[in-house]
Amino acid sequence: SSYPANGLTPDMIHRYSRHLVLPSFGVQGQANLLKSSILVVGAGGLGAPALLYFAASGVGRLGIVDHDVVELNNMHRQIIHREAYVGKPKVKSAAAACRSINSTIQVVEHEEALRTSNALEILSKYDIIVDATDNAPTRYMISDCCVVLGKPLVSGAALGLEGQLTVYNYNSGPCYRCLFPTPPPRTACQSCADGGVLGVVPGIIGCLQALEAIKIAASVGEPLSGRMLLLDALSGRIRIVKIRGRSTQCEACGENATFTQQHFCEFDYEKFTQTPLCVPPLKLNLL
Amino acid sequence: SSYPANGLTPDMIHRYSRHLVLPSFGVQGQANLLKSSILVVGAGGLGAPALLYFAASGVGRLGIVDHDVVELNNMHRQIIHREAYVGKPKVKSAAAACRSINSTIQVVEHEEALRTSNALEILSKYDIIVDATDNAPTRYMISDCCVVLGKPLVSGAALGLEGQLTVYNYNSGPCYRCLFPTPPPRTACQSCADGGVLGVVPGIIGCLQALEAIKIAASVGEPLSGRMLLLDALSGRIRIVKIRGRSTQCEACGENATFTQQHFCEFDYEKFTQTPLCVPPLKLNLL
Amino acid sequence: MQNPQGFGVSEETLLKMQLTLEFGGGLELLCDSKKIHNVNVEQQNGEDKLTMKDLLSWVRTNLIKERPEMFMKGDTVRPGVLVLVNDCDWELSGQLNTLLEEKDVVVFISTLHGG
Amino acid sequence: MQNPQGFGVSEETLLKMQLTLEFGGGLELLCDSKKIHNVNVEQQNGEDKLTMKDLLSWVRTNLIKERPEMFMKGDTVRPGVLVLVNDCDWELSGQLNTLLEEKDVVVFISTLHGG
Ligand SMILES: [Zn+2]
Ligand SMILES: [Zn+2]
């Protein structure tokens, strides 16, 4: 073979040279990254910057799940989509953008909504899952699926001028249900569509999600597991707080949990959260 | 006129609807943003995400200064540039990307290195300056120029797995020289080229720079003046610390400072910092 | 933060404690859209200590201006609200039984789902 | 953080203080690439207080393994280094004269220029 032992070609050495010279990342970190696969669920406000940084940094296989099309009112925050893609599937738009900045990685398009019927199959193909979605039932579904498959989950959320970030189900850390065993009342779950969001706030959280997933993929540093980052953009404050560990009573990951793949397939997340998995886009007539 | 009083057309209302519904941003915040002008010095690791979020969010006039061309070893972090632009000017590449995500704003290309001979003229055309450069002499030059012109400066930096961010010369706050009256020894000033940088670290700092500049432009929230954000990506820690206010003894902005536009034009920043303003790209042969 | 002076309570004086309360993730909308509240909480039931259970009932009476069901359910916070005492999840300090000390910072934050 | 017990110093005992020292922006390279150091600093000159000036000389002797000129210049830190005591610029607390207290966190960070 003409490949050196670490699997880096001269072109890769050139492209990733600023990573390779980092003592705490280096050739091993980059080689790990190139061998890794990451799935981003949602090519919206959080997914946009995360996908671009995954592609740029050399994640070997990058999957994108989304069933939406690009709309003009996404453009203020979903910086991966160009105007030319308005009306076209977000997955196609995002995949084209990722390929345009790094043609040497593999980008996989999953142009469909994530459901209990396809989640196990899709998620099982990736090492790390990034939750960049926008509703409560999907967040429970992704977390449960990561628990039954044993995958780490990098979870971000943004609304208004606030953002939140943590890593679930990593190294015996808590899962989403450990923190939120009971779903919140539906009225407490605003989406960006009805609540609004300052575009750069999911930008910051999406970049931080990329950082955490890259750390896990490259096996460097301390991922944000058992800790949660809280961003208040308006006052310019960020706090990183200590959260509970895995709950022994957790229905998904606890000591006596019986949550199997079959249980997952049959679980009704819409009923559980009293919220539909896919919210139809709202028409706003506020002005 | 067919424009409503707040200057928002129906298309703008559609595009920026997620900003307009935010009580703490709203129509006034968006109208302020659309009337504002922001200059980003450096279309590299920090400038890339900042420029995309400025364009997306509707900054009325967006200037870009850079004299470099896109190189393959930039691509791991400078997510605004596509492979098709390797070898072409960064300003052209960045401007094209900004226009492709928002054709309704004005993007101004300054394809030249910032120097004492052109800085006053270029910076004077913008409300807010974003320092996204990569060397000490340019940082002193931009700060001094902002002081003599009375412009707020959003300053970010990233190296290795660390990042720093603050706002200078805003509302009687400190300038760069208030914090660093004496330049550091040249050996203490590593660039991303020789020190390396994890690509997503300038991504996070660049997004945070965008947030701070957008807050100032829209007149919302509390900008990070008199405070500094310190990011340690490896350990996943962010601290926001309180820094000194404007120094009465500062040679640029202090009580008895005599730093005028003419003084600025004649100041030798390369001699002051013992560092050239433009570092030729290094060839790496580390592997 | 521990400050023994804060506990100098005789039978004649009511326990009073200076706390910083913060609301986020939308919960600030329930208390006049104000996120940070510097408050003096007075213990009502003659006890010489203040627990999170006491604080919750004080908050509900004194700060929550509307839709209290969006803040509490039964005698605890509603599902989806994280409670942090000095930047630490209250599950780690005993939840409702967490003992508060002078100058503690208590954060109530609703989990976000948007993206 | 104030803790009066930390100052219980008689003429017979040396002042000892538990501090957390953090190095960043590349300064950690001068002390074995370790960023966080939990240390017990002993006052050498018989004083019953510890200032930042004392701490700097202690750090230079005990932690800095190489290129001390990259950390200090004269009796203070070199240009381009920010010093933070409990997340606050030491310019606001008296620089070299800042009095340290038990469990203080002192950060030395070199300003970055990259982008
Ligand atoms: Zn669990
Ligand atoms: Zn100054």
mmCIF file of all heavy atoms in Angstrom, chain C residues 49-71:
data_model
loop_
_atom_site.group_PDB
_atom_site.id
_atom_site.type_symbol
_atom_site.label_atom_id
_atom_site.label_comp_id
_atom_site.label_asym_id
_atom_site.label_seq_id
_atom_site.Cartn_x
_atom_site.Cartn_y
_atom_site.Cartn_z
ATOM 1 N N LYS C 49 -33.776 26.620 59.834
ATOM 2 C CA LYS C 49 -33.108 26.303 58.570
ATOM 3 C C LYS C 49 -34.094 26.510 57.422
ATOM 4 O O LYS C 49 -35.312 26.544 57.626
ATOM 5 C CB LYS C 49 -32.582 24.869 58.586
ATOM 6 C CG LYS C 49 -33.653 23.816 58.844
ATOM 7 C CD LYS C 49 -32.996 22.444 58.973
ATOM 8 C CE LYS C 49 -33.924 21.345 59.449
ATOM 9 N NZ LYS C 49 -35.233 21.234 58.840
ATOM 10 N N LEU C 50 -33.501 26.663 56.227
ATOM 11 C CA LEU C 50 -34.336 26.881 55.058
ATOM 12 C C LEU C 50 -34.020 25.794 54.040
ATOM 13 O O LEU C 50 -32.873 25.620 53.639
ATOM 14 C CB LEU C 50 -34.052 28.269 54.466
ATOM 15 C CG LEU C 50 -34.997 28.726 53.354
ATOM 16 C CD1 LEU C 50 -36.317 29.220 53.939
ATOM 17 C CD2 LEU C 50 -34.357 29.841 52.525
ATOM 18 N N THR C 51 -35.048 25.055 53.622
ATOM 19 C CA THR C 51 -34.838 24.011 52.619
ATOM 20 C C THR C 51 -35.352 24.485 51.260
ATOM 21 O O THR C 51 -36.060 25.489 51.160
ATOM 22 C CB THR C 51 -35.586 22.723 52.999
ATOM 23 O OG1 THR C 51 -36.992 23.000 52.965
ATOM 24 C CG2 THR C 51 -35.198 22.218 54.375
ATOM 25 N N MET C 52 -35.015 23.734 50.226
ATOM 26 C CA MET C 52 -35.530 24.038 48.896
ATOM 27 C C MET C 52 -37.052 23.965 48.876
ATOM 28 O O MET C 52 -37.706 24.704 48.137
ATOM 29 C CB MET C 52 -34.932 23.079 47.861
ATOM 30 C CG MET C 52 -33.586 23.507 47.319
ATOM 31 S SD MET C 52 -33.597 25.149 46.538
ATOM 32 C CE MET C 52 -34.806 24.893 45.240
ATOM 33 N N LYS C 53 -37.605 23.064 49.693
ATOM 34 C CA LYS C 53 -39.067 22.977 49.769
ATOM 35 C C LYS C 53 -39.658 24.303 50.274
ATOM 36 O O LYS C 53 -40.643 24.807 49.723
ATOM 37 C CB LYS C 53 -39.449 21.827 50.719
ATOM 38 C CG LYS C 53 -40.921 21.452 50.731
ATOM 39 C CD LYS C 53 -41.133 20.270 51.686
ATOM 40 C CE LYS C 53 -42.572 20.183 52.141
ATOM 41 N NZ LYS C 53 -43.397 19.402 51.216
ATOM 42 N N ASP C 54 -39.027 24.855 51.295
ATOM 43 C CA ASP C 54 -39.471 26.160 51.786
ATOM 44 C C ASP C 54 -39.313 27.235 50.708
ATOM 45 O O ASP C 54 -40.188 28.076 50.504
ATOM 46 C CB ASP C 54 -38.651 26.581 53.015
ATOM 47 C CG ASP C 54 -38.726 25.570 54.154
ATOM 48 O OD1 ASP C 54 -39.816 24.992 54.350
ATOM 49 O OD2 ASP C 54 -37.699 25.351 54.830
ATOM 50 N N LEU C 55 -38.178 27.188 50.044
ATOM 51 C CA LEU C 55 -37.915 28.223 49.040
ATOM 52 C C LEU C 55 -38.947 28.165 47.909
ATOM 53 O O LEU C 55 -39.439 29.198 47.456
ATOM 54 C CB LEU C 55 -36.495 28.084 48.465
ATOM 55 C CG LEU C 55 -36.150 29.135 47.401
ATOM 56 C CD1 LEU C 55 -36.142 30.544 47.996
ATOM 57 C CD2 LEU C 55 -34.813 28.837 46.727
ATOM 58 N N LEU C 56 -39.255 26.940 47.450
ATOM 59 C CA LEU C 56 -40.228 26.808 46.359
ATOM 60 C C LEU C 56 -41.553 27.459 46.742
ATOM 61 O O LEU C 56 -42.153 28.177 45.941
ATOM 62 C CB LEU C 56 -40.446 25.333 46.007
ATOM 63 C CG LEU C 56 -39.408 24.679 45.111
ATOM 64 C CD1 LEU C 56 -39.849 23.267 44.757
ATOM 65 C CD2 LEU C 56 -39.196 25.494 43.834
ATOM 66 N N SER C 57 -41.986 27.203 47.984
ATOM 67 C CA SER C 57 -43.270 27.767 48.370
ATOM 68 C C SER C 57 -43.162 29.296 48.485
ATOM 69 O O SER C 57 -44.076 30.030 48.134
ATOM 70 C CB SER C 57 -43.778 27.078 49.640
ATOM 71 O OG SER C 57 -43.787 27.949 50.726
ATOM 72 N N TRP C 58 -41.984 29.783 48.925
ATOM 73 C CA TRP C 58 -41.772 31.235 48.985
ATOM 74 C C TRP C 58 -41.796 31.845 47.574
ATOM 75 O O TRP C 58 -42.418 32.877 47.338
ATOM 76 C CB TRP C 58 -40.422 31.525 49.675
ATOM 77 C CG TRP C 58 -40.188 32.990 49.924
ATOM 78 C CD1 TRP C 58 -40.499 33.710 51.036
ATOM 79 C CD2 TRP C 58 -39.589 33.933 49.002
ATOM 80 N NE1 TRP C 58 -40.146 35.020 50.887
ATOM 81 C CE2 TRP C 58 -39.585 35.187 49.640
ATOM 82 C CE3 TRP C 58 -39.077 33.828 47.717
ATOM 83 C CZ2 TRP C 58 -39.077 36.343 49.043
ATOM 84 C CZ3 TRP C 58 -38.563 34.980 47.106
ATOM 85 C CH2 TRP C 58 -38.565 36.217 47.765
ATOM 86 N N VAL C 59 -41.116 31.176 46.643
ATOM 87 C CA VAL C 59 -41.070 31.677 45.263
ATOM 88 C C VAL C 59 -42.479 31.734 44.672
ATOM 89 O O VAL C 59 -42.880 32.721 44.061
ATOM 90 C CB VAL C 59 -40.158 30.787 44.378
ATOM 91 C CG1 VAL C 59 -40.347 31.094 42.898
ATOM 92 C CG2 VAL C 59 -38.698 30.965 44.770
ATOM 93 N N ARG C 60 -43.230 30.665 44.905
ATOM 94 C CA ARG C 60 -44.574 30.617 44.333
ATOM 95 C C ARG C 60 -45.445 31.754 44.877
ATOM 96 O O ARG C 60 -46.215 32.369 44.149
ATOM 97 C CB ARG C 60 -45.211 29.266 44.653
ATOM 98 C CG ARG C 60 -46.599 29.205 44.108
ATOM 99 C CD ARG C 60 -47.158 27.821 44.037
ATOM 100 N NE ARG C 60 -48.526 27.927 43.568
ATOM 101 C CZ ARG C 60 -49.233 26.932 43.142
ATOM 102 N NH1 ARG C 60 -48.715 25.728 43.114
ATOM 103 N NH2 ARG C 60 -50.471 27.100 42.735
ATOM 104 N N THR C 61 -45.273 32.053 46.145
ATOM 105 C CA THR C 61 -46.065 33.118 46.750
ATOM 106 C C THR C 61 -45.574 34.504 46.343
ATOM 107 O O THR C 61 -46.363 35.399 46.077
ATOM 108 C CB THR C 61 -45.999 33.015 48.294
ATOM 109 O OG1 THR C 61 -46.333 31.691 48.667
ATOM 110 C CG2 THR C 61 -46.928 34.027 48.958
ATOM 111 N N ASN C 62 -44.251 34.676 46.297
ATOM 112 C CA ASN C 62 -43.705 36.028 46.179
ATOM 113 C C ASN C 62 -43.217 36.438 44.795
ATOM 114 O O ASN C 62 -43.131 37.629 44.511
ATOM 115 C CB ASN C 62 -42.540 36.205 47.168
ATOM 116 C CG ASN C 62 -43.000 36.123 48.604
ATOM 117 O OD1 ASN C 62 -43.484 37.100 49.162
ATOM 118 N ND2 ASN C 62 -42.883 34.943 49.199
ATOM 119 N N LEU C 63 -42.859 35.476 43.962
ATOM 120 C CA LEU C 63 -42.279 35.868 42.670
ATOM 121 C C LEU C 63 -43.133 35.516 41.461
ATOM 122 O O LEU C 63 -43.162 36.255 40.490
ATOM 123 C CB LEU C 63 -40.883 35.232 42.494
ATOM 124 C CG LEU C 63 -39.752 35.758 43.378
ATOM 125 C CD1 LEU C 63 -38.434 35.113 42.961
ATOM 126 C CD2 LEU C 63 -39.636 37.283 43.283
ATOM 127 N N ILE C 64 -43.795 34.367 41.521
ATOM 128 C CA ILE C 64 -44.531 33.908 40.349
ATOM 129 C C ILE C 64 -45.807 34.738 40.203
ATOM 130 O O ILE C 64 -46.671 34.717 41.067
ATOM 131 C CB ILE C 64 -44.869 32.407 40.457
ATOM 132 C CG1 ILE C 64 -43.593 31.582 40.664
ATOM 133 C CG2 ILE C 64 -45.641 31.930 39.226
ATOM 134 C CD1 ILE C 64 -42.645 31.532 39.507
ATOM 135 N N LYS C 65 -45.883 35.471 39.082
ATOM 136 C CA LYS C 65 -47.007 36.388 38.899
ATOM 137 C C LYS C 65 -48.125 35.760 38.078
ATOM 138 O O LYS C 65 -49.254 36.239 38.106
ATOM 139 C CB LYS C 65 -46.534 37.658 38.165
ATOM 140 C CG LYS C 65 -45.378 38.371 38.822
ATOM 141 C CD LYS C 65 -45.790 39.044 40.129
ATOM 142 C CE LYS C 65 -44.626 39.832 40.692
ATOM 143 N NZ LYS C 65 -44.731 40.008 42.149
ATOM 144 N N GLU C 66 -47.803 34.750 37.279
ATOM 145 C CA GLU C 66 -48.836 34.167 36.433
ATOM 146 C C GLU C 66 -48.554 32.698 36.160
ATOM 147 O O GLU C 66 -47.430 32.239 36.312
ATOM 148 C CB GLU C 66 -48.939 34.942 35.109
ATOM 149 C CG GLU C 66 -47.613 35.174 34.424
ATOM 150 C CD GLU C 66 -47.774 36.011 33.151
ATOM 151 O OE1 GLU C 66 -48.621 35.642 32.311
ATOM 152 O OE2 GLU C 66 -47.057 37.013 32.997
ATOM 153 N N ARG C 67 -49.558 31.979 35.752
ATOM 154 C CA ARG C 67 -49.449 30.578 35.373
ATOM 155 C C ARG C 67 -48.552 29.761 36.315
ATOM 156 O O ARG C 67 -47.537 29.207 35.867
ATOM 157 C CB ARG C 67 -48.948 30.461 33.938
ATOM 158 C CG ARG C 67 -49.979 30.898 32.906
ATOM 159 C CD ARG C 67 -49.450 30.772 31.487
ATOM 160 N NE ARG C 67 -48.366 31.731 31.253
ATOM 161 C CZ ARG C 67 -47.448 31.636 30.302
ATOM 162 N NH1 ARG C 67 -47.467 30.595 29.501
ATOM 163 N NH2 ARG C 67 -46.521 32.555 30.159
ATOM 164 N N PRO C 68 -48.843 29.689 37.596
ATOM 165 C CA PRO C 68 -47.983 28.941 38.525
ATOM 166 C C PRO C 68 -47.836 27.476 38.119
ATOM 167 O O PRO C 68 -46.833 26.847 38.461
ATOM 168 C CB PRO C 68 -48.702 29.078 39.869
ATOM 169 C CG PRO C 68 -50.096 29.482 39.537
ATOM 170 C CD PRO C 68 -50.012 30.269 38.277
ATOM 171 N N GLU C 69 -48.805 26.942 37.358
ATOM 172 C CA GLU C 69 -48.703 25.537 36.923
ATOM 173 C C GLU C 69 -47.551 25.345 35.935
ATOM 174 O O GLU C 69 -47.135 24.215 35.673
ATOM 175 C CB GLU C 69 -50.034 25.065 36.322
ATOM 176 C CG GLU C 69 -50.317 25.570 34.915
ATOM 177 C CD GLU C 69 -50.827 27.019 34.858
ATOM 178 O OE1 GLU C 69 -50.884 27.684 35.926
ATOM 179 O OE2 GLU C 69 -51.159 27.486 33.752
ATOM 180 N N MET C 70 -47.022 26.458 35.381
ATOM 181 C CA MET C 70 -45.859 26.343 34.507
ATOM 182 C C MET C 70 -44.567 26.296 35.321
ATOM 183 O O MET C 70 -43.485 26.074 34.765
ATOM 184 C CB MET C 70 -45.791 27.526 33.535
ATOM 185 C CG MET C 70 -46.890 27.537 32.503
ATOM 186 S SD MET C 70 -46.863 26.042 31.501
ATOM 187 C CE MET C 70 -45.368 26.325 30.571
ATOM 188 N N PHE C 71 -44.675 26.529 36.619
ATOM 189 C CA PHE C 71 -43.499 26.475 37.481
ATOM 190 C C PHE C 71 -43.518 25.258 38.386
ATOM 191 O O PHE C 71 -42.533 24.553 38.532
ATOM 192 C CB PHE C 71 -43.414 27.757 38.322
ATOM 193 C CG PHE C 71 -42.205 27.807 39.217
ATOM 194 C CD1 PHE C 71 -40.928 27.819 38.677
ATOM 195 C CD2 PHE C 71 -42.345 27.839 40.606
ATOM 196 C CE1 PHE C 71 -39.797 27.862 39.496
ATOM 197 C CE2 PHE C 71 -41.224 27.880 41.431
ATOM 198 C CZ PHE C 71 -39.955 27.881 40.884
#
